[in-house]
Coordinates of all heavy atoms in Angstrom, one line a residue:
P1 N 0.8 -1.2 0.0 CA 0.0 0.0 0.0 C 0.9 1.3 0.0 O 2.0 1.3 0.5 CB -0.8 -0.1 1.3 CG -0.9 -1.6 1.6 CD 0.5 -2.1 1.1
L2 N 0.3 2.3 -0.6 CA 1.0 3.6 -0.6 C 0.4 4.4 0.5 O -0.6 5.2 0.4 CB 0.7 4.3 -2.0 CG 1.2 3.5 -3.2 CD1 0.7 4.1 -4.5 CD2 2.8 3.5 -3.2
G3 N 0.9 4.2 1.7 CA 0.3 4.8 2.9 C -1.1 4.3 3.1 O -1.3 3.0 3.1
R4 N -2.1 5.1 3.2 CA -3.5 4.6 3.3 C -4.2 4.3 2.0 O -5.4 3.9 2.0 CB -4.3 5.6 4.1 CG -4.6 6.9 3.3 CD -5.3 8.0 4.2 NE -5.7 9.1 3.4 CZ -7.0 9.4 3.2 NH1 -7.9 8.6 3.7 NH2 -7.3 10.4 2.4
T5 N -3.5 4.5 0.9 CA -4.0 4.1 -0.4 C -3.6 2.6 -0.7 O -2.5 2.2 -0.7 CB -3.4 4.9 -1.5 OG1 -3.7 6.3 -1.3 CG2 -3.9 4.5 -2.9
I6 N -4.7 1.8 -0.8 CA -4.5 0.4 -1.1 C -4.8 0.2 -2.5 O -5.9 0.7 -3.0 CB -5.3 -0.5 -0.2 CG1 -4.9 -0.3 1.3 CG2 -5.2 -2.0 -0.5 CD1 -5.6 0.7 2.1
Y7 N -4.0 -0.5 -3.2 CA -4.3 -0.7 -4.7 C -3.8 -2.1 -5.1 O -3.0 -2.8 -4.4 CB -3.5 0.3 -5.5 CG -2.0 0.1 -5.6 CD1 -1.5 -0.6 -6.7 CD2 -1.2 0.5 -4.6 CE1 -0.1 -0.9 -6.7 CE2 0.2 0.3 -4.7 CZ 0.7 -0.4 -5.7 OH 2.1 -0.7 -5.8
I8 N -4.4 -2.6 -6.2 CA -3.9 -3.8 -6.8 C -3.7 -3.5 -8.3 O -4.4 -2.8 -8.9 CB -4.8 -5.0 -6.6 CG1 -6.1 -4.9 -7.3 CG2 -5.0 -5.3 -5.2 CD1 -6.9 -6.1 -7.3
T9 N -2.6 -4.0 -8.8 CA -2.3 -3.9 -10.3 C -1.8 -5.3 -10.7 O -0.6 -5.5 -10.9 CB -1.2 -2.9 -10.6 OG1 -0.1 -3.1 -9.7 CG2 -1.7 -1.5 -10.3
P10 N -2.7 -6.3 -10.8 CA -2.3 -7.6 -11.0 C -1.9 -7.9 -12.5 O -2.1 -7.0 -13.3 CB -3.6 -8.4 -10.7 CG -4.7 -7.4 -11.1 CD -4.2 -6.1 -10.7
P11 N -1.3 -9.0 -12.8 CA -1.0 -9.3 -14.2 C -2.3 -9.3 -15.0 O -3.3 -9.6 -14.5 CB -0.4 -10.7 -14.1 CG 0.2 -10.8 -12.7 CD -0.8 -10.0 -11.9
Y12 N -2.2 -8.9 -16.2 CA -3.4 -8.8 -17.1 C -4.0 -10.2 -17.2 O -5.2 -10.3 -17.5 CB -3.0 -8.3 -18.5 CG -2.3 -7.0 -18.6 CD1 -1.6 -6.6 -19.7 CD2 -2.4 -6.1 -17.5 CE1 -0.9 -5.4 -19.8 CE2 -1.7 -4.9 -17.6 CZ -1.0 -4.5 -18.7 OH -0.4 -3.3 -18.8
T13 N -3.2 -11.2 -17.0 CA -3.6 -12.6 -17.2 C -4.0 -13.3 -16.0 O -4.2 -14.5 -15.9 CB -2.5 -13.4 -17.9 OG1 -1.3 -13.2 -17.1 CG2 -2.2 -12.9 -19.3
I14 N -4.2 -12.6 -14.9 CA -4.6 -13.2 -13.6 C -5.9 -14.0 -13.7 O -6.8 -13.6 -14.4 CB -4.7 -12.1 -12.5 CG1 -4.8 -12.8 -11.1 CG2 -5.8 -11.2 -12.8 CD1 -4.7 -11.8 -9.9
S15 N -5.9 -15.1 -13.0 CA -7.1 -16.0 -13.0 C -8.2 -15.4 -12.2 O -8.0 -14.6 -11.3 CB -6.8 -17.4 -12.5 OG -6.5 -17.3 -11.1
D16 N -9.4 -15.8 -12.5 CA -10.6 -15.3 -11.7 C -10.5 -15.7 -10.3 O -10.8 -15.0 -9.3 CB -11.9 -15.8 -12.3 CG -12.2 -15.2 -13.7 OD1 -11.6 -14.2 -14.0 OD2 -13.1 -15.8 -14.4
A17 N -10.0 -17.0 -10.1 CA -9.8 -17.5 -8.7 C -8.9 -16.6 -7.9 O -9.1 -16.4 -6.7 CB -9.4 -19.0 -8.7
S18 N -7.8 -16.3 -8.5 CA -6.8 -15.4 -7.8 C -7.3 -14.1 -7.5 O -7.1 -13.5 -6.4 CB -5.5 -15.3 -8.6 OG -4.8 -16.6 -8.6
L19 N -8.0 -13.5 -8.4 CA -8.7 -12.2 -8.2 C -9.6 -12.2 -7.0 O -9.7 -11.3 -6.2 CB -9.4 -11.7 -9.5 CG -9.5 -10.2 -9.7 CD1 -8.1 -9.5 -9.6 CD2 -10.1 -9.9 -11.1
E20 N -10.4 -13.3 -7.0 CA -11.4 -13.5 -5.9 C -10.6 -13.6 -4.6 O -11.0 -13.1 -3.6 CB -12.2 -14.8 -6.2 CG -13.2 -15.1 -5.1 CD -14.4 -14.1 -5.3 OE1 -14.8 -13.8 -6.4 OE2 -15.0 -13.8 -4.2
R21 N -9.5 -14.3 -4.6 CA -8.7 -14.5 -3.3 C -8.2 -13.2 -2.8 O -8.2 -12.9 -1.6 CB -7.5 -15.4 -3.6 CG -7.8 -16.9 -3.3 CD -6.5 -17.7 -3.4 NE -5.4 -17.2 -2.5 CZ -4.1 -17.6 -2.6 NH1 -3.8 -18.5 -3.6 NH2 -3.2 -17.2 -1.8
I22 N -7.8 -12.3 -3.7 CA -7.2 -11.0 -3.3 C -8.3 -10.2 -2.7 O -8.1 -9.6 -1.6 CB -6.7 -10.2 -4.5 CG1 -5.4 -10.9 -5.1 CG2 -6.3 -8.8 -4.2 CD1 -5.0 -10.4 -6.5
F23 N -9.5 -10.1 -3.3 CA -10.5 -9.2 -2.7 C -11.1 -9.8 -1.4 O -11.4 -9.1 -0.5 CB -11.7 -9.1 -3.7 CG -11.4 -8.0 -4.7 CD1 -10.8 -8.2 -5.9 CD2 -11.8 -6.6 -4.4 CE1 -10.5 -7.2 -6.8 CE2 -11.5 -5.6 -5.3 CZ -10.9 -5.9 -6.5
L24 N -11.2 -11.1 -1.3 CA -11.6 -11.8 -0.1 C -10.6 -11.5 1.0 O -11.0 -11.2 2.2 CB -11.8 -13.3 -0.3 CG -12.4 -14.1 0.9 CD1 -13.8 -13.5 1.2 CD2 -12.5 -15.6 0.5
A25 N -9.3 -11.6 0.7 CA -8.3 -11.3 1.7 C -8.4 -9.8 2.2 O -8.3 -9.5 3.4 CB -6.9 -11.6 1.2
L26 N -8.6 -8.9 1.2 CA -8.7 -7.5 1.6 C -9.9 -7.3 2.5 O -9.8 -6.6 3.5 CB -8.9 -6.7 0.3 CG -7.6 -6.2 -0.4 CD1 -7.9 -5.6 -1.7 CD2 -6.8 -5.3 0.4
E27 N -11.0 -7.9 2.1 CA -12.2 -7.8 2.9 C -12.1 -8.3 4.3 O -12.4 -7.6 5.3 CB -13.4 -8.5 2.2 CG -14.7 -8.5 2.9 CD -15.7 -9.4 2.3 OE1 -15.7 -9.6 1.1 OE2 -16.6 -9.9 3.0
K28 N -11.5 -9.5 4.5 CA -11.3 -10.0 5.8 C -10.3 -9.2 6.6 O -10.6 -8.9 7.8 CB -10.8 -11.5 5.7 CG -11.8 -12.5 5.2 CD -11.2 -13.9 5.1 CE -12.2 -14.9 4.7 NZ -11.7 -16.2 4.6
T29 N -9.3 -8.7 6.0 CA -8.3 -7.9 6.7 C -8.9 -6.6 7.2 O -8.7 -6.2 8.4 CB -7.1 -7.6 5.8 OG1 -6.5 -8.9 5.4 CG2 -6.1 -6.7 6.5
L30 N -9.6 -5.9 6.4 CA -10.1 -4.6 6.8 C -11.2 -4.7 7.7 O -11.4 -3.9 8.6 CB -10.5 -3.8 5.5 CG -9.4 -3.5 4.5 CD1 -9.9 -2.7 3.4 CD2 -8.2 -2.8 5.2
L31 N -12.0 -5.8 7.6 CA -13.1 -6.0 8.6 C -12.5 -6.3 10.0 O -13.0 -5.8 11.0 CB -14.0 -7.1 8.2 CG -15.0 -6.8 7.0 CD1 -15.7 -8.1 6.6 CD2 -15.9 -5.7 7.4
T32 N -11.4 -7.0 10.0 CA -10.7 -7.2 11.3 C -10.2 -5.9 11.9 O -10.3 -5.7 13.1 CB -9.5 -8.2 11.1 OG1 -10.0 -9.4 10.5 CG2 -8.7 -8.4 12.3
F33 N -9.7 -5.0 11.0 CA -9.2 -3.7 11.5 C -10.4 -2.9 12.1 O -10.3 -2.3 13.1 CB -8.7 -2.9 10.3 CG -7.2 -3.2 10.1 CD1 -6.7 -4.4 9.8 CD2 -6.3 -2.1 10.2 CE1 -5.4 -4.6 9.6 CE2 -4.9 -2.3 10.0 CZ -4.5 -3.6 9.7
L34 N -11.6 -3.0 11.4 CA -12.7 -2.3 12.0 C -13.2 -2.9 13.3 O -13.5 -2.1 14.2 CB -13.9 -2.4 10.9 CG -13.8 -1.6 9.7 CD1 -15.0 -1.9 8.7 CD2 -13.8 -0.1 10.0
E35 N -13.1 -4.2 13.4 CA -13.5 -4.8 14.7 C -12.6 -4.4 15.8 O -13.0 -4.1 16.9 CB -13.5 -6.3 14.6 CG -14.7 -6.8 13.6 CD -14.5 -8.3 13.3 OE1 -13.5 -8.9 13.8 OE2 -15.3 -8.8 12.5
T36 N -11.3 -4.3 15.5 CA -10.3 -3.9 16.5 C -10.5 -2.4 16.9 O -10.4 -2.1 18.1 CB -8.9 -4.0 15.9 OG1 -8.7 -5.3 15.4 CG2 -7.8 -3.6 16.9
E37 N -10.9 -1.6 16.0 CA -11.2 -0.2 16.3 C -12.4 -0.1 17.2 O -12.4 0.7 18.2 CB -11.4 0.6 15.0 CG -10.1 0.8 14.2 CD -10.4 1.6 12.9 OE1 -11.6 1.9 12.7 OE2 -9.5 1.8 12.1
E38 N -13.4 -0.9 16.9 CA -14.6 -0.8 17.7 C -14.4 -1.3 19.2 O -14.9 -0.8 20.1 CB -15.7 -1.7 17.1 CG -16.2 -1.1 15.8 CD -17.2 -2.1 15.1 OE1 -17.4 -3.2 15.6 OE2 -17.7 -1.7 14.0

């Protein structure tokens, strides 16, 4: 991440399964951060 800017620039040929894994990991990670803040 670029500070608080989170980005992905995957290979153009990335599989659907890998793309799904990235977004799921981001979701779980950030939800954990939210729970910690609460």
Side-chain angles (χ1 to χ4, degrees):
L2 302 165
R4 69 190 188 107
T5 298
I6 295 92
Y7 74 94
I8 66 172
T9 51
Y12 304 160
T13 52
I14 189 171
S15 67
D16 292 346
S18 291
L19 208 55
E20 185 72 35
R21 267 185 61 189
I22 294 169
F23 276 92
L24 186 59
L26 276 173
E27 179 186 330
K28 288 181 177 179
T29 297
L30 297 183
L31 286 175
T32 300
F33 272 62
L34 286 175
E35 291 170 1
T36 303
E37 288 178 0
E38 290 173 359

